[in-house]
Amino acid sequence: MSLSGYATPETTRRTGEQRQGVFHERRRPLYEGGPFVSLVGFGSYRIGFSPSLGHPQCREALEHALRRGVNLIDTSTNYGNGQSELLIGQTLATLANENALSRENVVLVSKAGYVQGNTLELVQQRERDGRPFEPVFKFGSDLWYCLDPEFIIEQLERSLSRLGVDCLDVFLIHNPEYMLKAYEHNNIPVDKAQADFYGQLAKCFAALEKAVSVGQIRAYGVSSNTLGATSDDPTAVSLARLLDAANSTSQNHSFRVAQCPLNWIEVNPIAVESADDEDNTLTLARKNGVGILVNRPFNAMNDGGLIRLTRPTVDSAAVGDDAQRKGLQNWTRLSLDLEKLAREYISIPGYEEAPLSQLVLATLMWQPGLSSVLCGMRRKEYVVDAEVAAALPMLVNADQIVAQIYQDLEFHKDGN
Ligand SMILES: NC(=O)c1ccc[n+]([C@@H]2O[C@H](COP(=O)([O-])OP(=O)(O)OC[C@H]3O[C@@H](n4cnc5c(N)ncnc54)[C@H](OP(=O)(O)O)[C@@H]3O)[C@@H](O)[C@H]2O)c1
């Protein structure tokens, strides 16, 4: 039997003395008029039932996070080939049976668009049956991408079933810029690509409006790794144009949430204004009552490589070969340098002992207009760490701090 209901502003505000702790106390609206969410959300990429997906530690971490008051879970239909949603569904059902939480306390976000694993088989079967989804973009034998509104709704229904709920709080189109990548690959002019892209998204939004009206979802939006990228990037996605597309489907639309990466190295949503937007993404979102969730706080992509913005937790004695030991030394040095740099700009007391992970989280969670930071808390100790970060003093100038750190990092890059 599935859990009925959904999160509301009333059910997600702190209730009663027994609900103590910073994840209950410091909450803010996910979007204007929407449910309240904790400063940090549980990111569910790479969780599932196999040891390679971090089981059983990830389940323990999720339970601990929910019991401590993390009330936002971000997942997707393709995470762990559906296992992420299944694990979340099982955990919610267990805690609901124990009366440790109710469906109305938790904000559930899932996504669709990727065609991989079991979903790839389904989409291929439709092709064989002569009823293909359209458009489908094929990037290789194991990765396709689909923006057919019928596919999006079909995926939504599977998502509801795996999560064991009647209604999702938010459903996002997952990295739709794949369509722009496909057009770029085929040398289609950018203007045509952009027109087709927002036109296709408007069709998906119309289908999601129907899903809102029948009570399958409360709100919808887009998660994009290129949201707010500069216009020289042919795969850039603009919040202004997404809102235009939503407005074209309904004056009273339910496009309420956007998601994108934000960390000390990838600062598009706060620092770079795309050519056709007057405001940066966060400011524009705030003006339009749209909530912004940010992801990958610690996984910073830099020129195709990845920089992990945490202190290493690996014991150097456990590292076998010389190259790995050198890598670990470099990472340790970088993390200490970054901590020192951040402390130069964080002048209020309380941050003296905070390790890099907490400095990163605090500077992101206090960005003006941001709803919550999604964090890949696959282990209980990461949840504990995030809770300490959320309890640090509020940073009123978090936008300036991140801009300064970013500028210094740019300076170092140029100088070396
Ligand atoms: N396009 C999209 O929609 C999109 C894209 C990216 C992410 N997301 C969402 O955002 C969530 C967060 O992103 P992410 O998981 O990729 O990256 P992340 O939150 O930056 O975490 C990266 C890794 O850092 C480690 N970590 C986490 N907390 C830590 C802590 N307190 N101290 C030290 N290490 C820590 C974990 O690695 P180990 O477990 O390996 O130790 C984790 O997998 C995802 O889970 C997903 O829900 C969405």
Side-chain angles (χ1 to χ4, degrees):
M1 207 182 72
S2 59
L3 296 174
S4 59
Y6 50 80
T8 69
E10 294 71 32
T11 59
T12 48
R13 272 208 194 96
R14 183 184 177 202
T15 50
E17 280 308 301
Q18 71 275 38
R19 298 208 183 276
Q20 285 182 349
V22 70
F23 287 138
H24 287 287
E25 287 153 16
R26 285 182 159 172
R27 286 188 180 175
R28 49 197 175 201
L30 173 57
Y31 51 85
E32 198 177 295
F36 283 66
V37 290
S38 43
L39 295 182
V40 175
F42 193 94
S44 310
Y45 179 51
R46 290 201 300 137
I47 71 163
F49 298 96
S50 63
S52 65
L53 289 171
H55 203 264
Q57 292 91 338
C58 63
R59 185 183 198 123
E60 182 195 31
L62 176 57
E63 270 203 40
H64 181 71
L66 290 166
R67 288 185 197 279
R68 292 301 304 160
V70 170
N71 78 326
L72 170 66
I73 304 177
D74 177 75
T75 183
S76 181
T77 45
N78 71 326
Y79 289 173
N81 194 18
Q83 285 191 34
S84 172
E85 290 182 326
L86 280 172
L87 179 69
I88 292 163
Q90 280 192 9
T91 308
L92 288 177
T94 304
L95 294 187
N97 271 340
E98 287 174 20
N99 287 325
L101 59 77
S102 72
R103 167 69 188 92
E104 289 86 358
N105 300 144
V106 183
V107 174
L108 289 175
V109 180
S110 194
K111 324 185 188 89
Y114 279 92
V115 182
Q116 292 170 296
N118 295 342
T119 308
L120 181 59
E121 283 167 30
L122 170 96
V123 172
Q124 288 173 334
Q125 187 58 48
R126 288 271 301 221
E127 276 196 355
R128 284 193 290 274
D129 294 347
R131 315 179 287 131
F133 288 119
E134 276 179 1
V136 170
F137 306 99
K138 301 179 180 176
F139 291 89
S141 60
D142 55 359
L143 172 62
W144 293 5
Y145 191 84
C146 181
L147 277 179
D148 184 330
E150 189 191 342
F151 170 77
I152 298 295
I153 297 304
E154 195 269 350
Q155 291 289 291
L156 165 63
E157 283 162 3
R158 286 175 191 263
S159 179
L160 289 169
S161 154
R162 281 191 290 256
L163 286 161
V165 295
D166 285 350
C167 176
L168 270 179
D169 300 286
V170 182
F171 201 62
L172 302 176
I173 308 282
H174 197 177
N175 290 352
E177 65 272 18
Y178 267 98
M179 176 171 173
L180 295 170
K181 278 185 203 170
Y183 270 51
E184 186 189 14
H185 184 74
N186 291 320
N187 294 319
I188 295 170
V190 174
D191 284 354
K192 162 138 180 73
Q194 296 272 328
D196 286 3
F197 175 68
Y198 291 105
Q200 190 60 35
L201 280 178
K203 291 180 193 163
C204 293
F205 294 170
L208 290 170
E209 289 292 339
K210 278 201 193 115
V212 173
S213 67
V214 298
Q216 288 177 309
I217 58 174
R218 298 287 293 163
Y220 66 89
V222 162
S223 181
S224 167
N225 288 344
T226 54
L227 189 68
T230 46
S231 58
D232 55 354
D233 179 348
T235 69
V237 173
S238 143
L239 180 60
R241 295 194 68 178
L242 291 175
L243 288 169
D244 287 346
N247 277 315
S248 75
T249 65
S250 165
Q251 289 291 316
N252 195 21
H253 64 77
S254 296
F255 183 109
R256 310 298 274 158
V257 177
Q259 189 187 136
C260 54
L262 177 65
N263 53 57
W264 286 355
I265 291 171
E266 296 172 285
V267 295
N268 277 342
I270 55 170
V272 180
E273 295 176 11
S274 65
D276 52 355
D277 295 346
E278 212 172 86
D279 299 308
N280 69 32
T281 302
L282 262 178
T283 309
L284 186 70
R286 198 165 62 233
K287 286 181 180 172
N288 285 278
V290 169
I292 295 282
L293 299 174
V294 297
N295 60 47
R296 288 205 273 111
F298 305 130
N299 269 352
M301 303 305 292
N302 185 36
D303 278 344
L306 189 144
I307 298 177
R308 176 64 58 83
L309 299 172
T310 61
R311 271 188 198 170
T313 47
V314 190
D315 179 2
S316 63
V319 173
D321 71 64
D322 281 351
Q324 283 180 333
R325 201 167 301 119
K326 196 157 187 305
L328 189 58
Q329 278 168 0
N330 287 342
W331 181 12
T332 306
R333 199 174 315 115
L334 176 70
S335 68
L336 294 175
D337 285 351
L338 288 172
E339 284 180 11
K340 200 166 152 234
L341 178 63
R343 287 207 183 86
E344 281 175 27
Y345 297 118
I346 300 176
S347 50
I348 57 171
Y351 282 83
E352 298 80 0
E353 304 298 325
L356 181 57
S357 53
Q358 293 172 14
L359 296 171
V360 169
L361 283 182
T363 56
L364 300 183
M365 64 180 65
W366 293 115
Q367 291 299 317
L370 188 149
S371 303
S372 188
V373 180
L374 302 171
C375 184
M377 305 185 279
R378 307 198 307 150
R379 285 154 47 173
K380 187 177 168 184
E381 52 267 40
Y382 295 162
V383 181
V384 172
D385 194 47
E387 188 167 7
V388 176
L392 287 167
M394 178 183 174
L395 293 172
V396 281
N397 57 343
D399 46 350
Q400 289 158 28
I401 294 171
V402 172
Q404 283 164 324
I405 295 172
Y406 174 76
Q407 267 167 25
D408 279 12
L409 293 176
E410 283 295 296
F411 171 77
H412 288 308
K413 254 190 277 164
D414 291 343
N416 291 306

